[in-house]
Amino acid sequence: MDSLLQQLGHVSAVIGAQWGDEGKGKAIDILSGHFDVIARACGGANAGHTIVVGGKKHVFHLLPAGSLHEGKTVILGSGMVIHLPTLLEEIALLRKNDIDIIPRLLLSDEAHIVFDYQKEVDAVMEERRSQKSGGKIGTTKRGIGPAYMEKAARTGMRLGDLHRFFRDGGDLRSELAWRNGFVGALFSVSLNVEQEARNLEDAYEILKDCIRPLPSLLDVMEGRRILIEGAQASLLDIDHGTYPYVTSSATTVAGALQGLGLAPRLLSSCIGVAKAYCTRVGSGTFLTEAKGDADNRLRERGGEYGATTGRPRRCGWLYIPDLVFSARLNGFTNWNITKLDVLDEEDIIPVGMGEENGKVRYEELPGWKKSTVGITSFDKLPENAQHFLQFIETKTGVPVSLIGTGPGREQMIIK
Ligand code: GDP
Ligand code: IMO
Ligand code: MG
């Protein structure tokens, strides 16, 4: 671990290389103990990051997966869109585990608020999309797209605005009434003004001291070791992903730095996280999607059901050009290849190498047909598993430094 930490340096980001759910949360949890500040930068409760500690499962949507580590400062950055009742639920859940995160939680006053009505708008827009060719995106219906739409339209409400309403005597209800007219005209959705107001009031009561201006967050981060928890993943990026089947935020490391207000030159490393195979939840292209038996096998062995929506994830094989693309976009310095154990029973492991005449060209690597569950040293891996990982290194030019061999915190090889 020590030599990896030295390589990672002071400011490191953990970024998904595929379509999400690669296992970013687990890497963050393992590394968090060695950093001072753990930060989410973009996205919202569309993320679902699962960690397993002592056999117990914890799922994070807004708080970073490193939040279990006592004493670490936790930041939710300016690029995020935050549904406050969901945040309060997560805080309460931690409290049930005897963790009071409030004294070490900092929220950028520039982060946008996700309203309940924006979840309704999300659903209405999906329904309308289903009436055109191309169909639905398959969003998480967490109001993410509509919240970023309002951010871009400059009608969004930010956390800092709550001071205006609850501290400085601003008129929240007339603001919400205006909002009602605005979304009513565009989407035939109406606000439950009293419910929305209560959501904000309840949250402000608990969070008012956590909401800080960006310069003070930058002061907190200055000179400290920062671990940035990416959410979603590179192929879901609003600009560089498989548009329109993407999320509404910039999911690459550049987006994360922008979301936190950190100068790009401060970044010292970026870990790309990829499954040893590939999954996608929601619609959109997936060239190496497996059919029939293999799809089901991977789903059942990998427990591939969404942490946020419970939807079965589409399963398939690695596609090297996507990994190379993600590595270039983010400047990955290291790989965390996760869920190697899920491939333990495969006879052969197809790896997509590119497209020829409209068909994917596969290279078939031999399986290892032995359990890798819980192995913590590279040398103990079956030879074919080592070969598989070396293949990824050679084809992408990025060293594999972390290898997941099970969902548990301790089930990781650190090379
Ligand atoms: P994230 O969104 O990138 O944090 O990933 P998710 O938490 O949505 O999905 C990853 C799932 O795989 C979770 O259920 C993890 O507990 C599980 N997981 C992570 N790493 C491994 C691994 O190496 N092996 C196995 N079998 N499961 C893993
Ligand atoms: P984590 O951080 C997997 C997908 C949705 C949908 C598309 C748009 O857990 O890896 P949205 O609700 O964002 O408007 O949905 O993006 N999506 C994710 N898929 N993991 C995620 O996050 C995702 N966040 C969004 O399924 O296809
Ligand atoms: Mg997830």
Side-chain angles (χ1 to χ4, degrees):
M1 178 67 114
D2 286 350
S3 84
L4 174 64
L5 289 171
Q6 213 164 12
Q7 276 179 47
L8 296 182
H10 251 59
V11 181
S12 188
V14 173
I15 300 288
Q18 298 161 320
W19 284 290
D21 303 326
E22 296 92 348
K24 300 174 288 292
K26 183 183 153 186
I28 290 283
D29 174 50
I30 289 171
L31 294 170
S32 286
H34 306 278
F35 286 79
D36 307 312
V37 177
I38 323 297
R40 273 277 308 264
C42 292
N46 46 351
H49 299 177
T50 308
I51 60 171
V52 179
V53 182
K56 189 169 172 192
K57 192 164 144 176
H58 303 260
V59 183
F60 296 90
H61 298 288
L62 287 164
L63 293 172
S67 299
L68 292 188
H69 292 265
E70 294 284 357
K72 305 295 172 183
T73 302
V74 165
I75 293 183
L76 303 192
S78 306
M80 287 190 72
V81 290
I82 299 177
H83 183 247
L84 290 164
T86 303
L87 180 58
L88 294 192
E89 272 171 34
E90 279 186 48
I91 291 169
L93 212 59
L94 281 184
R95 201 166 285 132
K96 277 198 185 144
N97 289 290
D98 294 326
I99 294 173
D100 179 14
I101 198 156
I102 296 284
R104 55 189 175 90
L105 177 64
L106 301 174
L107 311 171
S108 167
D109 70 356
E110 296 177 336
H112 278 248
I113 292 168
V114 175
F115 290 93
D116 284 345
Y117 77 80
Q118 287 165 330
K119 295 190 190 187
E120 280 181 60
V121 172
D122 202 346
V124 167
M125 289 183 69
E126 279 287 73
E127 200 40 52
R128 303 255 170 98
R129 282 185 196 111
S130 70
Q131 295 158 14
K132 75 172 178 62
S133 74
K136 295 183 183 185
I137 293 171
T139 74
T140 59
K141 300 209 177 124
R142 292 299 185 271
I144 305 300
Y148 281 114
M149 273 166 55
E150 288 214 39
K151 173 177 173 172
R154 288 143 299 168
T155 59
M157 191 189 284
R158 309 201 291 181
L159 287 183
D161 292 321
L162 297 180
H163 293 313
R164 182 156 53 87
F165 298 122
F166 299 119
R167 188 187 62 195
D168 307 335
D171 185 354
L172 174 64
R173 273 155 183 90
S174 71
E175 157 80 29
L176 291 176
W178 173 84
R179 226 154 250 283
N180 216 349
F182 178 71
V183 294
L186 287 174
F187 300 104
S188 321
V189 162
S190 62
L191 262 78
N192 183 336
V193 169
E194 282 316 308
Q195 182 62 52
E196 300 278 16
R198 251 195 323 276
N199 288 349
L200 300 183
E201 265 158 5
D202 291 350
Y204 190 72
E205 192 50 36
I206 294 171
L207 301 172
K208 55 178 177 288
D209 295 331
C210 305
I211 302 171
R212 304 285 174 87
L214 183 61
S216 84
L217 296 186
L218 295 178
D219 285 345
V220 167
M221 289 190 273
E222 182 82 34
R224 297 177 79 199
R225 290 169 302 174
I226 306 166
L227 185 62
I228 303 171
E229 174 168 332
Q232 292 69 59
S234 305
L235 304 180
L236 288 172
D237 183 82
I238 181 79
D239 292 311
H240 311 303
T242 49
Y243 192 91
Y245 303 100
V246 293
T247 190
S248 300
S249 57
T251 58
T252 59
V253 70
L257 293 168
Q258 164 72 6
L260 280 169
L262 280 180
R265 72 177 170 79
L266 295 178
L267 189 78
S268 44
S269 60
C270 183
I271 301 176
V273 188
K275 279 176 189 166
Y277 49 101
C278 193
T279 63
R280 178 164 202 174
V281 58
S283 319
T285 181
F286 184 175
L287 289 176
T288 54
E289 185 164 10
K291 301 280 175 279
D293 271 3
D295 177 44
N296 288 327
R297 218 166 48 235
L298 290 171
R299 185 173 310 104
E300 293 317 312
R301 281 190 62 85
E304 298 296 357
Y305 295 88
T308 299
T309 58
R311 289 179 292 176
R313 296 174 183 148
R314 298 156 65 193
C315 297
W317 308 107
L318 271 190
Y319 190 58
I320 293 291
D322 282 346
L323 296 192
V324 170
F325 178 58
S326 288
R328 294 179 81 184
L329 277 180
N330 294 288
F332 290 149
T333 52
N334 309 75
W335 281 118
N336 173 196
I337 301 297
T338 66
K339 307 189 93 161
L340 185 73
D341 54 296
V342 174
L343 299 182
D344 283 352
E345 311 263 299
E346 299 297 317
D347 292 317
I348 51 154
I349 299 164
V351 178
M353 302 303 294
E355 266 186 292
E356 258 165 41
N357 306 320
K359 285 183 88 175
V360 177
R361 180 169 54 81
Y362 285 97
E363 199 150 315
E364 295 191 333
L365 303 190
W368 42 92
K369 305 284 282 180
K370 271 198 197 105
S371 173
T372 60
V373 176
I375 291 181
T376 54
S377 118
F378 187 79
D379 302 339
K380 300 239 164 73
L381 284 176
E383 211 171 294
N384 284 349
Q386 294 188 10
H387 176 243
F388 172 76
L389 295 163
Q390 282 154 354
F391 183 85
I392 295 171
E393 284 188 336
T394 310
K395 297 296 172 190
T396 61
V398 176
V400 174
S401 301
L402 298 120
I403 301 147
T405 56
R409 193 185 249 180
E410 61 298 330
Q411 294 174 312
M412 183 80 99
I413 297 169
I414 298 174
K415 260 180 97 190

